[in-house]
């Protein structure tokens, strides 16, 4: 069954287009990653799904419900951990969980949740005295306290140290194993790759690519690079003429050939015909960071290149 369906979402703030045209479907039980540079429209999209922002056009369905018309019902099935969340400084961990659970018809057992999130020792600690990781875990607990079928987690490991990030990841997997569908927003590729069943790469308010982590890498690998030195002088045209080759660069005697398809066999074939031996031959292995750059033209976590105006 479909957990979330977003179709042709569009949202602008004044003249600024935040979400241009975003569509995707999240199936029940999956961890669906939304990744993109800062300012690409991720938070606007997920907060629209949660009914916290009103899109200008497009449609959203959450387990068949409309986030605006069916707001009360959506609140019961959808938990949100917001990018910017703040709680009263003096509230204690157990108090916060107890209070939030009272807002729901069928809340989770908040003590169990406190245990699951490793916060039992901090039960009487005030919010202001919690570490960054503990605050983050509390906000995840609060997103889950209503016993939601879907949880939206927006940049949940930003600001955490590497160990706390890894702990949070295993926690998310445990939550998924309890049957909760997770919409995970992040600008960290390693996080999206490690956790997500599928990933939507968002760029400038649009879906630049949508696939499994392995599928994204395979798509990006469609563009390959072969590097080598030549055993004797060679005319560049021998390679640029090949249908698989899109670019040939020579720096300090090192050849770098970019292209698609059967690039390696095509290049080595042409070299053999020219009686040239490729020395120190390397073929680029693509990873998900490269895939991200291939789809968006920039590194994960980098800001949007320029402000875009409505057209
Ligand atoms: P992301 O979560 O991917 O960083 P956002 O959805 O927060 O992206 O923002 C997308 C764009 O919309 C950005 O250019 C941002 O500055 C702008 N924006 C977001 N929220 C508001 C708002 N409440 N008012 C005006 N502009 C906003
Ligand atoms: Mg955001």
């Amino acid at each position: 069954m479909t957990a979330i369906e977003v179709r042709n979402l569009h949202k602008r703030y004044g003249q600024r287009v935040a979400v241009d045209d975003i569509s995707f479907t999240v199936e029940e039980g999956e961890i669906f990653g939304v990744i993109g540079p800062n300012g690409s429209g991720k938070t606007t999209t997920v907060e629209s799904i949660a009914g916290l922002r009103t899109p200008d056009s497009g449609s959203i369905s959450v387990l068949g419900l409309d986030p605006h018309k069916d707001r009360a019902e959506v609140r019961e099935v959808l938990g949100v951990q917001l990018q910017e969340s703040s709680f009263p400084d003096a509230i204690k961990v157990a108090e916060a969980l107890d209070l939030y659970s009272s807002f729901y018809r069928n809340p989770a057992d908040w003590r169990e949740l406190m245990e699951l999130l490793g916060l039992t020792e901090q039960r009487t600690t005030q919010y202001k005295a919690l570490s960054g990781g503990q605050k983050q875990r509390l906000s995840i607990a609060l997103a889950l306290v209503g016993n939601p079928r879907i949880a939206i987690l927006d940049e949940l490991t930003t600001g955490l140290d590497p160990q706390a990030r890894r702990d949070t990841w295993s926690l998310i997997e445990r939550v998924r194993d309890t049957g909760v569908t997770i919409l995970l927003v992040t600008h960290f590729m390693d996080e999206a790759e490690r956790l997500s069943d599928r990933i939507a790469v968002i760029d400038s308010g649009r879906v630049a690519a949508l696939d499994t982590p392995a599928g994204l890498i395979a798509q990006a690998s469609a563009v390959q690079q072969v590097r080598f030195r030549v055993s004797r002088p060679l005319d560049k045209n021998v390679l640029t003429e090949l249908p698989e080759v899109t670019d040939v660069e020579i720096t300090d005697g090192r050849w770098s050939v970019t292209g698609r398809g059967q690039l390696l066999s095509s290049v080595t074939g042409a070299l053999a015909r020219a009686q040239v031996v490729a020395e120190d031959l390397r073929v680029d292995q693509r990873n998900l960071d490269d895939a991200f750059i291939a789809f968006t033209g920039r590194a994960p976590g980098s800001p949007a290149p320029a402000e875009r105006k409505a057209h």
Side-chain angles (χ1 to χ4, degrees):
M1 184 179 173
T2 297
I4 300 170
E5 189 175 10
V6 175
R7 284 172 72 177
N8 303 114
L9 200 67
H10 184 91
K11 170 81 175 175
R12 65 173 69 165
Y13 302 101
Q15 287 295 97
R16 168 96 47 87
V17 178
V19 174
D20 202 1
D21 182 9
I22 286 184
S23 302
F24 59 82
T25 302
V26 180
E27 301 302 332
E28 250 192 308
E30 76 177 334
I31 298 184
F32 188 90
V34 172
I35 185 152
N38 291 325
S40 55
K42 304 181 298 294
T43 294
T44 301
T45 300
V46 298
E47 292 193 1
S48 299
I49 293 169
L52 301 169
R53 302 198 196 196
T54 315
D56 298 326
S57 58
S59 65
I60 299 173
S61 158
V62 176
L63 295 167
L65 302 164
D66 180 307
H68 277 279
K69 281 199 250 115
D70 311 312
R71 193 153 188 171
E73 287 93 330
V74 169
R75 256 189 91 256
E76 292 288 331
V77 294
L78 185 94
V80 200
Q81 187 233 9
L82 296 177
Q83 190 174 0
E84 311 281 336
S85 48
S86 58
F87 303 100
D89 271 351
I91 198 163
K92 292 172 183 155
V93 167
E95 280 172 3
L97 285 161
D98 191 15
L99 175 68
Y100 274 67
S101 71
S102 71
F103 299 157
Y104 297 92
R105 275 200 295 265
N106 305 301
D109 178 339
W110 64 260
R111 288 176 185 83
E112 219 170 78
L113 214 48
M114 189 165 66
E115 188 62 38
L116 176 74
L117 282 123
L119 287 168
T120 305
E121 259 179 58
Q122 283 75 37
R123 53 177 300 133
T124 57
T125 307
Q126 293 188 338
Y127 182 72
K128 64 167 181 249
L130 296 174
S131 71
Q134 289 163 348
K135 282 181 178 162
Q136 205 78 298
R137 296 208 297 274
L138 177 62
S139 70
I140 298 169
L142 294 172
L144 298 174
V145 79
N147 219 359
R149 288 169 61 190
I150 303 170
I152 294 178
L153 307 170
D154 194 353
E155 304 281 1
L156 85 161
T157 66
T158 299
L160 297 189
D161 64 51
Q163 186 57 49
R165 289 184 72 214
R166 279 193 293 274
D167 291 347
T168 309
W169 293 347
S170 4
L171 178 80
I172 297 310
E173 284 169 335
R174 262 178 279 148
V175 170
R176 189 259 305 271
D177 293 344
T178 67
V180 179
T181 304
I182 296 172
L183 182 59
L184 178 81
V185 177
T186 180
H187 65 271
F188 296 116
M189 227 359 150
D190 55 348
E191 184 162 295
E193 179 171 19
R194 155 77 196 271
L195 292 174
S196 309
D197 296 301
R198 290 188 304 142
I199 298 173
V201 178
I202 307 289
D203 187 34
S204 301
R206 287 171 171 267
V207 179
L210 197 167
D211 208 330
T212 59
L216 289 178
I217 294 169
Q219 279 187 47
S221 301
V223 178
Q224 307 161 43
Q225 208 169 51
V226 179
R227 288 176 296 156
F228 52 88
R229 292 179 186 280
V230 290
S231 59
R232 60 194 196 85
L234 173 73
D235 182 355
K236 196 173 166 178
N237 288 338
V238 168
L239 297 181
T240 50
E241 279 166 0
L242 297 171
E244 290 84 1
V245 172
T246 52
D247 187 45
V248 178
E249 275 180 43
I250 309 158
T251 314
D252 298 333
R254 191 146 184 86
W255 290 56
S256 177
V257 182
T258 308
R260 295 167 182 280
Q262 300 297 318
L263 182 69
L264 180 62
S265 58
S266 165
V267 168
T268 50
L271 292 176
R273 284 193 298 279
Q275 295 180 320
V276 169
V277 176
E279 295 166 348
D280 197 11
L281 179 74
R282 306 251 160 104
V283 182
D284 249 15
Q285 278 292 77
R286 292 297 171 120
N287 63 24
L288 211 49
D289 278 332
D290 299 319
F292 187 89
I293 293 164
F295 295 125
T296 67
R298 55 202 131 110
S302 67
E307 312 231 309
R308 287 161 336 102
K309 301 287 183 188
H311 36 260

